[in-house]
Amino acid sequence: MTSIQAQPFPYTFDPRRTALVIIDMQRDFIEPGGFGESLGNNVALLSAIVPACRAVLDAWREVGALVVHTREAHQPDLSDCPPAKRNRGNPSLRIGDEGPMGRVLVMGEPGNQIIPELAPVAGEIVIDKPGKGAFYATPLQGFLQEREITHLVFMGVTTEVCVQTSMREANDRGYDSLLLADCTESYFPQFKASAIEMIHAQGAIVGWTADSASLLAALAAPG
Ligand code: TIU
């Protein structure tokens, strides 16, 4: 077992039973011209976490533990995109519209791909999810059960939307989850800070939070 410094108290896990879950590090959220920018957001905030995410991903791959990538992605016919989601707000580009990186949030389009720095490699799981949470309408729980995974370490975007939703879904399914605070970002810094507090408040009501340095130190320590 490995134990690392975390909030509100140390997080203990067995890497063989733990998956690194990277939420929606897609061009649509991180690069100009995608869905995130079409909602009126400054995407530069999000790209700042890429080096920290890459360092964790490299260390995790070195250990040989499971990696899961998610993408917020809809079928080309939008049959899995409720009108309530497509019509929400006043985006300059709606889901399914043709944008500078192809059709927004549609599977297979250039903007829907994970950024090259964090691209999946053979043996890693890639989950296309139509909602904010990684478990809703996806095969994720079955894949984790097959591999006897009990703990999840989260990174990705955005903290208070898809990351927090996925952690709450994981919590209700019995997983012990850790969020790496410097490997997640929001278009709204105050929402990131609040989400992190909400997650570890009340004795880890949703899960734990820690800086990636704690995890990297533990993974590098001789086992
Ligand atoms: N992946 C994810 O968080 N989807 C969003 O739409 N996030 C926003 O913050 N808009």
Side-chain angles (χ1 to χ4, degrees):
M1 296 296 271
T2 302
S3 202
I4 68 166
Q5 255 192 9
Q7 295 289 337
F9 40 74
Y11 179 72
T12 302
F13 65 103
D14 176 350
R16 291 165 303 183
R17 294 287 193 90
T18 306
L20 177 66
V21 183
I22 310 172
I23 300 288
D24 300 358
M25 290 296 286
Q26 297 164 257
R27 299 183 65 200
D28 261 327
F29 295 110
I30 291 168
E31 294 184 11
F35 185 58
E37 192 174 72
S38 84
L39 293 168
N41 298 307
N42 171 11
V43 294
L45 275 171
L46 269 53
S47 55
I49 65 167
V50 172
C53 292
R54 178 59 199 252
V56 171
L57 179 57
D58 285 347
W60 201 261
R61 284 172 172 163
E62 190 72 25
V63 168
L66 183 65
V67 178
V68 176
H69 304 259
T70 71
R71 297 184 290 214
E72 188 167 343
H74 292 281
Q75 302 282 349
D77 65 1
L78 304 186
S79 56
D80 57 357
C81 182
K85 180 175 183 184
R86 186 157 193 267
N87 295 332
R88 192 74 54 79
N90 191 22
S92 55
L93 284 174
R94 288 182 195 282
I95 295 168
D97 287 352
E98 195 70 46
M101 293 193 286
R103 293 181 67 202
V104 171
L105 286 198
V106 169
M107 286 173 193
E109 298 288 330
N112 207 237
Q113 305 309 311
I114 293 170
I115 57 170
E117 297 91 324
L118 303 175
V121 299
E124 297 178 348
I125 293 174
V126 181
I127 297 283
D128 284 322
K129 61 183 190 52
K132 306 302 186 209
F135 289 86
Y136 169 69
T138 75
L140 178 58
Q141 189 166 8
F143 289 154
L144 298 177
Q145 284 171 337
E146 280 167 17
R147 292 162 178 80
E148 301 187 340
I149 296 294
T150 57
H151 288 58
L152 303 174
V153 174
F154 281 88
M155 314 196 289
V157 296
T158 61
T159 317
E160 80 283 8
V161 183
C162 291
V163 174
Q164 183 173 211
T165 302
S166 298
M167 287 189 75
R168 290 177 182 276
E169 287 185 329
N171 193 42
D172 285 346
R173 286 164 176 77
Y175 296 95
D176 280 331
S177 298
L178 171 75
L179 174 60
L180 297 175
D182 55 327
C183 297
T184 184
E185 197 47 89
S186 167
Y187 300 117
F188 305 88
Q190 73 274 28
F191 290 172
K192 171 179 173 175
S194 297
I196 285 171
E197 280 188 47
M198 283 179 217
I199 285 164
H200 68 227
Q202 305 183 65
I205 191 82
V206 176
W208 287 252
T209 65
D211 281 328
S212 61
S214 301
L215 179 67
L216 292 174
L219 294 179

